[in-house]
Amino acid sequence: MWISATQFHRTQISLRFFTFLSTVVFFFFPGHLCEAAQARNAMVATAHPLATQAALKILKKGGNAADAAIAAQWVLNAVEPQSSGIGGGGFFLFYDAKTKRVYCLDGREIAPRDASADMFLDSKGQPYPFFPERITGGLPVGVPGTLRLLRTAYERFSTKRVAFEALFQPAIGIAEKGFSVSSRFSRMIDGQKERLRLFPESRRIFLDAAGQSLEPGFFLQQPDLAKTFRMIQERGVSVFYEGPIADAMVQAVRFAPFHPGRLTRQDLFYYTVKEREGVYGHYRGYDLLSMGPPSSGGTTLVEALNILSHYDVRAMGRGSYFMHIFSEAQKLAFQDRNQYLGDPDFAKIPLSYLLSEDLARSQAAKIQANSIVPVKTPMDPAPGAHTSHISIVDASGNMVAFTTTIEHIFGSAMVVPGYGFFLNNELTDFDPGPFPAKAVLPPNAPGPEKRPRSSMTPLFVFKEGKPFLVAGSPGGSTIIVTILNLLVNILDFSMNADAAVRAPKIMNRDGPTELETALFFQEKVRSALIARGHTVIKNAFYGNAQVIQIDGETGEFTGVSDSRGEGLAKGY
Ligand code: GLY
């Protein structure tokens, strides 16, 4: 049974309130419900209007998709500091329209050389509780990769018509002049204020004098962040990996007032960006390319799609039988993800097995019409609105899908004193243990110089060799499911990108079946799933997809920034 009588009563009230709220939102904020943009030359979709505008400016100055994405990232660092920035890492996919090649750059954070498999265990050998202990302070901070990643992307892909240094300018302007705190940002600060209060610098910048969240409408200036960007402009990327900013990061981590960590100057100095093979998939006549390990995004997405290929999903419609099959396919793919995925430089990842038709066939055979496959590995912690994604197509047809993160909302919660940016807590993407003594460690156990397993799923889709879709989303392990829902909505149910992003999601990460609010409140859907054996829970928020769909015939772009967030898709 999923719900008690009292809970049921509360649910009925919530249901009425939800219906009322939807009506109010629909009638009074129709603009917010229509985020799709059309354009013929270029399109940008990011999680914040100021980042989208900065990217468009760079495109109009002669920069390409890579240049525009770099400028957008620095703006996001200023206006969405809870999600991404130079204190974090990411995966950068670039499609070169001339050569028709896709390049996948890995700028994932790395564990310090002093990291160990037991680093997240307390004195009794038990993992620190996830929130707030494990995710806060110096211990979960990995060596940041974003700055070196974007320097590499610039060297490899830029037109060089706009200097690397100039790409910081829009962000410097915003950090110096300030921007208006939105209600979403204010809510996010509020949700993390206990963590932010632990660190005087985070408290000074992001809380008011009484230690409360900044109010919506507050004009936030970040002179320290502007100074940091100016230092990088003047002295290059090395100022961050070898110079005074490196010193400040090491100091902040090693002398953190909560869970000091193990980062050293050497760790920063030796940080390297890696080029990886993408993960390729094929579904309903479309070709997909996403990020491979250390991300689990590509393999899990493709395995779930391969399982779904065994069903006539379109004929099912979006009813409860489809939801049952869809949830089970995800669960099976997540079971393999949780068992096999990790850093490919440290563990052998059975890629060809995971992507094989043989595996898909045997997984599909496990799915029964009226019962569920048992859960194998515990579900990941609930997602938040963390991480960010940038999708861009430029006037030459080059494309970028860049998912970027500092992990949890506000990462480690530590701003580097004097430099105005948050350090990530990416090492919490490792399995915390404990691991059985003398056993071979699982692929995603923490270890020196290892990259924690990610779920980021930056994606390109092609139809008969022509670009069709650029997409990505935040949301921790729900990223994979957000992208899977999007693809099935477009490729099976023929929805346009806008409708596909909006549709409430169905999710299973090897746990209960999670329904997004609007679906959860459909009593018939819930009871039909429960009758098939599902435990059904509500998940109010996941995803903030940034999507560009390309019409193969007209060449027109449709850009969509998920209305669950506050982003903007815009082109020209
Ligand atoms: N920290 C989000 C991810 O890498 O999946």
Side-chain angles (χ1 to χ4, degrees):
M1 199 55 195
W2 65 278
I3 202 165
S4 71
T6 341
Q7 282 170 318
F8 182 73
H9 180 65
R10 274 195 225 121
T11 302
Q12 292 299 302
I13 293 171
S14 312
L15 174 58
R16 268 178 245 134
F17 180 67
F18 176 76
T19 313
F20 167 74
L21 201 64
S22 313
T23 313
V24 169
V25 168
F26 184 79
F27 284 109
F28 292 97
F29 304 102
H32 191 64
L33 290 179
C34 181
E35 305 294 337
Q38 311 283 334
R40 293 203 161 266
N41 292 305
M43 181 63 74
V44 177
T46 81
H48 199 285
L50 292 173
T52 298
Q53 282 155 17
L56 287 169
K57 220 183 222 177
I58 297 298
L59 291 177
K60 288 180 181 169
K61 277 189 179 164
N64 68 5
D67 299 309
I70 297 169
Q73 167 65 92
W74 304 140
V75 172
L76 287 177
N77 195 154
V79 298
E80 209 196 21
Q82 75 277 17
S83 296
S84 73
I86 50 173
F91 298 120
F92 194 99
L93 267 54
F94 184 79
Y95 170 75
D96 182 331
K98 260 198 201 135
T99 59
K100 299 193 187 310
R101 270 199 65 178
V102 174
Y103 300 89
C104 305
L105 297 184
D106 168 357
R108 185 72 165 162
E109 298 91 330
I110 296 177
R113 285 153 189 240
D114 292 339
S116 57
D118 61 358
M119 67 188 286
F120 291 114
L121 304 182
D122 64 18
S123 54
K124 294 192 183 110
Q126 290 309 304
Y128 296 121
F130 184 76
F131 188 98
E133 281 88 347
R134 207 191 314 157
I135 62 170
T136 305
L139 196 58
V141 176
V143 184
T146 301
L147 183 58
R148 205 158 259 169
L149 170 69
L150 294 190
R151 180 70 220 184
T152 308
Y154 183 82
E155 280 157 15
R156 295 280 303 277
F157 312 129
S158 167
T159 60
K160 311 281 188 327
R161 285 192 206 119
V162 184
F164 181 71
E165 294 71 30
L167 299 175
F168 288 96
Q169 216 49 49
I172 291 172
I174 292 163
E176 276 174 351
K177 290 192 193 107
F179 74 101
S180 177
V181 167
S182 66
S183 45
R184 178 175 184 264
F185 185 38
S186 174
R187 273 198 313 277
M188 289 203 184
I189 300 176
D190 194 53
Q192 304 296 319
K193 65 185 178 211
E194 311 293 342
R195 298 173 66 226
L196 296 169
R197 275 184 201 143
L198 294 171
F199 307 99
E201 194 76 342
S202 312
R203 183 187 169 125
R204 179 177 72 78
I205 302 173
F206 292 99
L207 299 177
D208 66 15
Q212 299 300 323
S213 174
L214 302 177
E215 290 287 321
F218 178 85
F219 218 65
L220 178 62
Q221 293 171 305
Q222 299 169 85
D224 288 349
L225 180 64
K227 178 189 83 179
T228 300
F229 285 155
R230 280 196 196 288
M231 283 173 75
I232 298 167
Q233 276 184 324
E234 284 157 19
R235 295 161 65 179
V237 166
S238 62
V239 75
F240 184 89
Y241 287 101
E242 304 167 35
I245 307 179
D247 285 335
M249 285 191 279
V250 169
Q251 182 80 8
V253 168
R254 297 188 79 87
F255 296 98
F258 187 86
H259 278 191
R262 306 174 182 184
L263 187 74
T264 64
R265 287 286 307 252
Q266 221 188 4
D267 293 320
L268 286 156
F269 182 83
Y270 285 110
Y271 180 83
T272 47
V273 171
K274 300 215 167 187
E275 182 160 3
R276 305 279 188 190
E277 288 293 314
V279 163
Y280 168 79
H282 188 77
Y283 187 67
R284 314 285 187 216
Y286 291 77
D287 297 296
L288 282 74
L289 207 293
S290 186
M291 192 67 207
S295 183
S296 62
T299 55
T300 314
L301 177 73
V302 172
E303 183 181 339
L305 289 170
N306 288 347
I307 298 170
L308 291 172
S309 297
H310 287 260
Y311 296 88
D312 188 349
V313 170
R314 179 190 287 266
M316 286 177 198
R318 270 178 62 93
S320 62
Y321 181 62
F322 157 71
M323 291 181 204
H324 166 66
I325 301 294
F326 194 38
S327 170
E328 291 290 273
Q330 294 176 35
K331 184 196 290 173
L332 288 162
F334 263 84
Q335 289 181 353
D336 284 333
R337 167 202 186 262
N338 298 347
Q339 181 175 350
Y340 294 114
L341 267 293
D343 184 339
D345 298 335
F346 289 80
K348 182 140 183 47
I349 317 291
L351 274 183
S352 44
Y353 165 74
L354 292 171
L355 303 173
S356 69
E357 175 46 31
D358 279 355
L359 175 65
R361 196 179 313 111
S362 70
Q363 296 287 52
K366 290 179 192 161
I367 300 177
Q368 302 297 311
N370 290 310
S371 61
I372 58 163
V373 172
V375 169
K376 217 166 153 184
T377 41
M379 198 178 80
D380 287 350
H386 48 81
T387 306
S388 204
H389 180 84
I390 296 168
S391 289
I392 301 183
V393 184
D394 68 26
S396 305
N398 302 305
M399 306 190 290
V400 166
F402 173 33
T403 312
T404 172
T405 185
I406 56 169
E407 216 313 269
H408 198 79
I409 303 169
F410 295 108
S412 62
M414 293 197 306
V415 168
V416 179
Y419 293 96
F421 66 91
F422 280 98
L423 285 166
N424 70 82
N425 62 346
E426 213 68 52
L427 304 189
T428 53
D429 274 348
F430 282 124
D431 299 337
F435 307 105
K438 294 193 187 134
V440 178
L441 288 171
N444 194 37
E449 298 180 78
K450 267 180 95 173
R451 294 173 193 230
R453 179 184 63 209
S454 170
S455 299
M456 293 192 282
T457 316
L459 177 76
F460 294 141
V461 181
F462 300 87
K463 170 81 174 156
E464 288 156 8
K466 284 189 185 168
F468 172 72
L469 201 76
V470 188
S473 176
S477 56
T478 68
I479 293 174
I480 303 168
V481 201
T482 290
I483 299 301
L484 181 66
N485 274 262
L486 174 79
L487 283 181
V488 167
N489 287 343
I490 294 178
L491 304 184
D492 283 306
F493 297 125
S494 304
M495 291 185 196
N496 62 36
D498 191 25
V501 170
R502 277 175 207 292
K505 292 174 204 139
I506 303 128
M507 170 164 84
N508 194 311
R509 295 174 286 165
D510 195 21
T513 295
E514 299 169 64
L515 298 181
E516 202 171 1
T517 312
L519 266 184
F520 179 82
F521 283 118
Q522 289 180 24
E523 166 60 27
K524 268 195 189 154
V525 167
R526 259 193 345 255
S527 18
L529 285 170
I530 291 166
R532 288 192 155 96
H534 293 252
T535 302
V536 180
I537 64 166
K538 174 166 76 74
N539 191 330
F541 177 95
Y542 48 95
N544 187 11
Q546 309 300 328
V547 180
I548 301 173
Q549 189 171 355
I550 302 140
D551 186 315
E553 282 175 14
T554 63
E556 192 165 49
F557 305 127
T558 302
V560 178
S561 182
D562 196 332
S563 51
R564 294 169 185 82
E566 60 185 6
L568 176 71
K570 199 171 175 197
Y572 66 90

